[in-house]
Amino acid sequence: TASSPLTFILTGIPGLLMSSYWMALPLCCLYLLMLLGNCTLLWMIKTDHSLHTPMYYFLSMLAVADLGLSLSTLPTMLAIFWFESTSFRFEACIAQMYFIHSFSAIESGVLVAMAFDRFVAICYPLRYTSVLTSSLIMKAGGAIFVRGICVVLPVAVLIKKMPFCRSRVLSHSFCLHQDMLRLVCGDVKVNSLYGLTAVILTKGLDSLTILLSYMMIIRAILRIISQETRAKAFSTCISHLCAVLIFYIPLIGLSITHRFGKHLPPLTHTLLADAYLLVPPVLNPLVYSWKTKQIRRRILILLYQRG
């Protein structure tokens, strides 16, 4: 009726019962691991003055973006698998969609900033401290967060005005723009066009910038005569390269399946969406803890003190 609130029905994993404790328990473990890893990174960077360098400031921004991305999906994911609660109010769905896409755009921007950090460190090592000043890092961080907030805002405003008169069953355990758009009963050309523009202005430009940065980094590394120095220079980029692949591979897969994979089974869409939102926040702290000597040493010291 006109007076009843508009609600959506969220979907768990196709083929499984809603109340699947064997699925809910691993999800809880993943969220706990994500919280522990990212909060530990933030705490170490804040308390250890030797980590007060541009690279670790950008890493702390990445941890904040990962926390925001995961916590945006936490309420609905756990509600579905623990309490079989699938109904979600329209306004709450819009808010969740906005935060998911905003933090995703922020994470993409932070990865660009980290690529620039590696570019300056390898191509212009003598100018590293003069180029990446605290002022520049603060401005870059502010610009990244403002961009993520502002670019996605029209997406939420536009879809809020659209009528929903078809089935209100979403394909995932959370609200995504593409998923909500397919349930609209009306012309979605403007929404689709702006959504595509927002993706191009954020992840599209960001991925090209990262690619260009690494082309110049590889060219600079190949000019180094010493093989040992060349290997050492490249090793400083491995953590960032892993973070880029962990973020962009599920994202590209999800985008392709949403646009061209309508014939694929629903389970494929669900698993790709879950990987896109859960894998980067869980793996990024592990990758940086494993590949970054300063963080690894700090963790070992903490474990030794507690032991």
Side-chain angles (χ1 to χ4, degrees), residues 20 32 48 63 75 86 119 136 140 154 157 161 169 178 199 226 250 252 307:
S20 300
L32 288 173
D48 191 342
T86 60
F119 166 72
L136 180 65
V157 172
K161 298 177 180 179
V169 179
Q178 307 96 311
V199 171
S226 170
I252 292 168

Side-chain angles (χ1 to χ4, degrees), residues 31 34-35 38-39 41-42 57-73 98-112 114 141 144-145 147-149 203 243 247 276-282 284-285:
Y31 277 113
M34 177 276 302
L35 286 169
N38 287 289
C39 289
L41 269 182
L42 288 171
Y57 288 141
F58 289 132
L59 181 55
S60 65
M61 294 180 200
L62 185 67
V64 170
D66 280 337
L67 283 168
L69 194 60
S70 288
L71 293 176
S72 298
T73 64
Y98 173 74
F99 282 116
I100 287 173
H101 291 294
S102 290
F103 279 113
S104 179
I106 289 168
E107 179 153 351
S108 180
V110 173
L111 290 172
V112 172
M114 297 175 86
I144 289 166
F145 277 84
R147 186 193 70 161
I149 291 167
K203 286 127 184 176
F247 179 77
Y276 161 55
L277 295 174
L278 285 176
V279 170
V282 171
N284 281 338

Side-chain angles (χ1 to χ4, degrees), residues 1-6:
T1 62
S3 60
S4 60
L6 177 61

Side-chain angles (χ1 to χ4, degrees), residues 16 52 56 68 73 84 100 107 120 166 197 209 234 260 271:
L16 292 180
H52 291 183
Y56 295 106
T73 64
E84 301 181 53
I100 287 173
E107 179 153 351
V120 176
R166 298 178 190 170
T197 303
T209 304
F234 184 74
F260 307 110
L271 292 178

